[in-house]
Amino acid sequence: MLDNYFKLKESGTDVRTELLAGLTTFLTMAYIIFVNPSILGDAGMPKEAVFVATCLVAALGSAIMGLYANYPIGMAPGMGLNAYFAYAVVLGMGVAWPAALGAVFLSGCLFILVSVFGLRGMIVNGIPHSLRVAITVGLGMFLALIALKNAGIVVGSEPTLVKAGDLHKPEAVMAIVGFLLIVTLDRLKVRGAILIGIIVVTVLSFFFGGNTFKGIFSAPPSIDPTLFKLDIAGALSVGIINVVLVFFLVELFDATGTLMGVASRAGLLVEGKMARLNKALLADSGAIVAGSVLGTSSTTAYIESAAGVQAGGRTGLTALMVAVLFLACLFIAPLAGVVPAYATAPALLFVACLMLRDLGDIEWGDTTESIPAAITALVIPFTYSIAEGIAFGFITYAALKLLTGRARDVKPVVWVIAGLFIFKIVYIGT
């Protein structure tokens, strides 16, 4: 039955290989069950409920990806998007977290529409490659700043804005040890390197950080504090239009890039295209909508799925295994609750560093491409706002092309997005 449904033989794999690949993918992305509640908890969301929502939406999204699209790709709340949700939208803009969930819901609905009507290709192909890379790099720098702050390595300063923290504190030392451990294990190709790093620092926190052990297993906490708490009416207010747009753009690029990258690694591309890309994108956007209802930030396909592909995963059975393992995680809430922020900080910093590797793909010799990209990547962390960085990047790109007589090189979608951001700045403010 499994062979017929997932076409295992046709894909050159078997049940045992697929299940082991699913376990491998799960180990590489399981850190999200610790990191996501920590980040969204900073925004005032109930951590235990977010933990449950994270496990459920990761299981649901991965199951849909496996059963509907038949791809070996795990899904969970996205890194970067959760940071934008918590630190830029809720804490930075003062938007209540239910309204921010409403914005996630709307962006997911928009994602579904562009997927159903086939507009995804037009939008993705219309956005310059340099700006797509810059958004990823800017997200990485934003995550790095948050990680260094959570570790106490970077602190606020009145005269210089930021400065180095007290590196003699146990929290900072343990975070540094955790980061070096994660990078070392990853280099040695140890499965679950990020998860191991988080667990090691958490164990050290009991001895050097004053942390207290509260057990490992328990019945799942209640999800009621976040379930159906999204405020769509609040998200529809004019001041949050740019929030929905940013969620949508980042989700679009992140999902498409990840899906294509993992499919390429698995040898699932036919003439450079994914045969079931639209199904995969619908699975992705459906999970975003479901996540906002359950109570978490945007869900997306995980690049860590490449680890499972490397282990032989080729079909949706791999993703289904990931879903089952995330459901099993519902019963380790006490363990997730004792993970301190400085234990997840090394994971954030490691992911941030990986997001910077695309810098070399920018065409630095063409300043009408490289300058807008640099502006985008720099403004995101320096304004503590992904929305502002993307806005400045699109506006700068359109302006430089126009001023240098290359307006014809700009696709219509760029003019539309730049125009929306200009309208927002002029009539609504930053």
Side-chain angles (χ1 to χ4, degrees):
M1 181 182 69
L2 290 175
D3 180 55
N4 290 334
Y5 188 87
F6 293 105
K7 301 179 180 178
L8 300 180
K9 288 183 180 178
E10 183 180 322
S11 302
T13 184
D14 54 42
V15 173
R16 180 179 178 277
T17 301
E18 292 293 298
L19 296 183
L20 285 175
L23 175 61
T24 301
T25 293
F26 171 77
L27 288 175
T28 61
M29 59 185 290
Y31 65 88
I32 195 63
I33 66 174
F34 303 113
V35 177
N36 202 47
S38 175
I39 291 177
L40 299 190
D42 288 346
M45 296 187 69
K47 287 186 178 181
E48 289 189 341
V50 172
F51 167 78
V52 176
T54 301
C55 293
L56 287 178
V57 77
L60 178 63
S62 298
I64 295 174
M65 183 65 74
L67 294 171
Y68 178 61
N70 196 23
Y71 279 121
I73 297 172
M75 298 185 66
M79 294 293 290
L81 285 163
N82 51 9
Y84 173 62
F85 180 102
Y87 301 111
V89 178
V90 177
L91 297 178
M93 299 172 61
V95 176
W97 63 261
L101 285 177
V104 173
F105 176 85
L106 293 174
S107 68
C109 291
L110 190 58
F111 202 177
I112 290 175
L113 287 175
V114 300
S115 298
V116 169
F117 290 104
L119 299 176
R120 177 208 58 83
M122 184 185 74
I123 295 174
V124 170
N125 294 331
I127 304 298
H129 176 71
S130 57
L131 289 184
R132 276 184 270 172
V133 170
I135 292 170
T136 301
V137 172
L139 274 169
M141 294 171 68
F142 187 57
L143 272 181
L145 183 59
I146 293 167
L148 294 171
K149 173 181 172 291
N150 288 349
I153 297 172
V154 170
V155 297
S157 170
E158 187 74 25
T160 61
L161 295 182
V162 293
K163 67 177 182 179
D166 185 356
L167 300 183
H168 295 94
K169 287 187 175 181
E171 294 84 356
V173 174
M174 285 187 281
I176 293 170
V177 169
F179 177 72
L180 294 175
L181 176 62
I182 288 173
V183 177
T184 301
L185 292 176
D186 179 74
R187 178 61 184 172
L188 296 175
K189 300 188 184 304
V190 175
R191 295 173 182 173
I194 293 177
L195 182 61
I196 293 171
I198 292 174
I199 292 173
V200 167
V201 176
T202 301
V203 171
L204 291 175
S205 72
F206 297 125
F207 299 96
F208 305 107
N211 203 352
T212 55
F213 186 65
K214 299 176 182 177
I216 299 177
F217 301 105
S218 74
S222 172
I223 195 177
D224 187 62
T226 59
L227 183 65
F228 293 113
K229 296 300 188 292
L230 67 166
D231 179 10
I232 299 175
L236 286 172
S237 61
V238 178
I240 207 169
I241 287 177
N242 66 311
V243 177
V244 176
L245 183 62
V246 170
F247 272 130
F248 170 74
L249 289 175
V250 177
E251 288 158 2
L252 187 68
F253 300 146
D254 190 50
T256 306
T258 299
L259 291 169
M260 295 293 288
V262 174
S264 176
R265 185 79 63 89
L268 299 175
L269 295 183
V270 180
E271 296 181 356
K273 297 180 180 180
M274 288 178 69
R276 301 178 299 281
L277 176 60
N278 217 44
K279 282 189 173 183
L281 286 170
L282 283 172
D284 192 278
S285 50
I288 293 170
V289 172
S292 66
V293 173
L294 292 170
T296 184
S297 53
S298 302
T299 303
T300 190
Y302 261 57
I303 193 64
E304 284 85 351
S305 301
V309 166
Q310 191 69 29
R314 293 294 181 272
T315 75
L317 185 55
T318 294
L320 193 60
M321 179 62 173
V322 173
V324 171
L325 292 171
F326 268 114
L327 282 179
C329 286
L330 285 169
F331 299 92
I332 61 168
L335 184 61
V338 298
V339 178
Y342 57 83
T344 57
L348 288 176
L349 186 57
F350 177 66
V351 173
C353 291
L354 294 181
M355 293 174 78
L356 301 183
R357 59 188 171 190
D358 291 337
L359 271 172
D361 291 340
I362 296 174
E363 190 179 346
W364 292 102
D366 183 351
T367 52
T368 64
E369 296 286 337
S370 60
I371 297 301
I375 290 292
T376 302
L378 291 172
V379 172
I380 287 175
F382 290 151
T383 60
Y384 217 66
S385 171
I386 297 171
E388 300 300 337
I390 294 177
F392 275 84
F394 272 91
I395 294 170
T396 303
Y397 186 91
L400 287 178
K401 292 293 186 182
L402 180 63
L403 293 172
T404 55
R406 298 174 60 185
R408 291 183 179 179
D409 295 344
V410 182
K411 299 290 177 67
V413 66
V414 175
W415 294 115
V416 172
I417 294 174
L420 286 173
F421 279 127
I422 291 173
F423 173 82
K424 182 260 177 185
I425 292 172
V426 173
Y427 292 100
I428 302 172
T430 57

